[in-house]
Amino acid sequence: MKMISRILLLLILSSCLCAATFVVNVTQSCYQAQENHSITLEWTFTTKTQGSWRDLFIYCRLVAPHKELIFYQVHGGVEIPDSQDEQFSGRVQIDKDVLREGRIRLHVSRLRTEDSGQYLCDVKTEDGSDKEKCQLNVSKMISAVPGQSVSLPCRLPNIKPAVVVQWTRPDLEPEYVLLFRDEQPDPENQHPSFRKRVELQERRMKDGDVSLLLSNVTTSDSGKYECRVFQRVSSGRKTVNLTSDPIWIVFLDVAPPPENVVGRKEDGSRNNHVGLIVGAILIIGAVLIAALIIGLILHHYVIKTKEEETEDEQITELTVSVKDGSSSDPQP
């Protein structure tokens, strides 16, 4: 009886050890990509057997505020594309060649900003089960013309309130575009070019929206904007946490409209030297037209003169011939 108990205990411990050694990992915890580009998300899982994939189950989903969407699914070793949410339809492909090596490589094309969020993959095989997540932030490209106002989007990854919001431009010194803390903007380290031109909509911050409103943009505002947040670990403590990675990245491109690019300065005014060039071209055109008209008149005058000279010569010849004819007649 003791022997049987020992065998059962050994089997239980072996089963637990097998399950404990099955691990799912992500090759990268946070991905950054740009709108309309492509990206590859990758997970790895423990493989110890070379058996059939009939016991392979993969369930990947996007977990974002107020939604959870099926991203990719394998059931009993068979893909189930019909279970995929419409948002990802036709945009997700798996690299099947590396799946047997314990690698899940999912290629996502034509990225959208709504693809941003946490991607959680549950994996189950005959060796065990586990899950792991990664963060994907899809940056938006925003275009504007000088003088416009724009909104640079940023949304919190969870429902915890933001204690501090940082908007930065890495290429500037100081890099702070806006620093919001203690429930108000802190202009102390703000870059001078953004003073009195940026703000957050506090009424939207309650819903996790910390988008930056930038007014009266100029071409010098073009660049990469990064959004970071501090959030409370516990509502009863003052401790806050900060991730060094931005939760949102936005690229802003400010340029004059295509029809006004030539001949306009950064502030949109007409460039003087271009105006001179245009004036010179008009003057040269007028001179050429006048020269053409004068040339036509002279050409007509020359032709007319030649015609008159030819006519005079013909009259002279006729007169001479008449005179010669009259002198040869006999006198009466």
Side-chain angles (χ1 to χ4, degrees):
M1 188 68 180
K2 290 183 178 180
M3 181 63 69
I4 295 175
S5 298
R6 289 178 180 176
I7 292 174
L8 290 174
L9 179 60
L10 181 61
L11 290 173
I12 293 172
L13 290 174
S14 299
S15 176
C16 293
L17 181 63
C18 178
T21 55
F22 182 85
V23 179
V24 175
N25 287 315
V26 288
T27 57
Q28 192 171 325
S29 60
C30 186
Y31 294 84
Q32 301 287 347
Q34 192 170 327
E35 190 178 28
N36 295 322
H37 287 202
S38 300
I39 199 169
T40 299
L41 308 180
E42 186 170 350
W43 288 260
T44 62
F45 60 92
T46 307
T47 56
K48 297 192 302 181
T49 62
Q50 299 297 325
S52 171
W53 287 109
R54 287 178 298 178
D55 294 324
L56 174 63
F57 295 85
I58 301 174
Y59 181 56
C60 298
R61 57 196 184 275
L62 166 63
V63 181
H66 312 299
K67 66 178 180 180
E68 184 171 311
L69 308 176
I70 297 178
F71 176 59
Y72 179 78
Q73 187 173 11
V74 171
H75 186 84
V78 179
E79 288 183 317
I80 308 180
D82 292 340
S83 67
Q84 191 177 61
D85 191 90
E86 185 179 357
Q87 176 175 321
F88 299 105
S89 179
R91 298 195 294 125
V92 181
Q93 292 183 336
I94 189 169
D95 191 346
K96 295 182 179 179
D97 295 336
V98 300
L99 188 59
R100 191 167 292 276
E101 302 172 6
R103 296 167 61 192
I104 303 173
R105 300 188 67 200
L106 295 171
H107 309 284
V108 190
S109 60
R110 303 187 304 278
L111 287 169
R112 309 168 184 172
T113 55
E114 57 263 32
D115 294 337
S116 298
Q118 289 184 344
Y119 285 77
L120 178 65
C121 270
D122 291 87
V123 183
K124 179 181 179 297
T125 70
E126 54 192 353
D127 297 323
S129 63
D130 194 17
K131 59 186 177 181
E132 190 56 86
K133 62 185 177 181
C134 64
Q135 177 73 30
L136 171 62
N137 296 325
V138 181
S139 307
K140 187 173 183 63
M141 174 64 76
I142 296 180
S143 299
V145 297
Q148 278 188 337
S149 295
V150 296
S151 176
L152 308 185
C154 182
R155 180 171 286 277
L156 302 182
N158 51 52
I159 59 175
K160 295 179 181 179
V163 178
V164 177
V165 179
Q166 290 181 351
W167 274 97
T168 59
R169 272 266 303 272
D171 59 321
L172 298 180
E173 183 62 39
E175 65 177 2
Y176 286 107
V177 175
L178 180 139
L179 176 60
F180 187 91
R181 62 184 176 185
D182 298 329
E183 299 183 354
Q184 62 183 354
D186 183 355
E188 183 176 354
N189 296 315
Q190 186 181 38
H191 193 278
S193 66
F194 294 103
R195 289 176 182 168
K196 298 183 179 181
R197 293 200 301 128
V198 292
E199 62 177 329
L200 301 179
Q201 290 187 317
E202 296 185 33
R203 67 178 186 276
R204 294 186 178 180
M205 292 180 65
K206 296 179 181 179
D207 298 325
D209 188 345
V210 289
S211 300
L212 179 73
L213 299 179
L214 175 58
S215 62
N216 194 26
V217 297
T218 66
T219 55
S220 61
D221 291 332
S222 299
K224 176 183 176 182
Y225 292 76
E226 297 180 347
C227 175
R228 292 176 174 83
V229 295
F230 294 78
Q231 292 179 293
R232 293 191 184 279
V233 174
S234 174
S235 59
R237 299 179 181 178
K238 295 182 179 180
T239 306
V240 295
N241 64 343
L242 169 68
T243 174
S244 58
D245 297 322
I247 63 170
W248 212 278
I249 296 178
V250 182
F251 292 88
L252 176 62
D253 179 32
V254 182
E259 64 273 13
N260 295 327
V261 171
V262 177
R264 288 194 178 274
K265 295 182 180 179
E266 187 174 293
D267 60 359
S269 61
R270 181 66 63 179
N271 202 324
N272 291 332
H273 75 273
V274 175
L276 293 174
I277 292 174
V278 173
I281 292 174
L282 293 175
I283 293 174
I284 293 173
V287 171
L288 291 175
I289 294 173
L292 178 63
I293 294 173
I294 293 173
L296 291 173
I297 294 174
L298 291 175
H299 180 69
H300 179 72
Y301 176 80
V302 170
I303 292 176
K304 185 175 181 180
T305 302
K306 288 184 177 180
E307 290 177 350
E308 290 176 353
E309 289 178 353
T310 302
E311 185 177 353
D312 291 340
E313 289 177 356
Q314 291 176 350
I315 293 173
T316 301
E317 291 177 357
L318 181 60
T319 304
V320 171
S321 62
V322 170
K323 288 181 179 180
D324 291 342
S326 60
S327 60
S328 61
D329 292 338
Q331 295 294 330

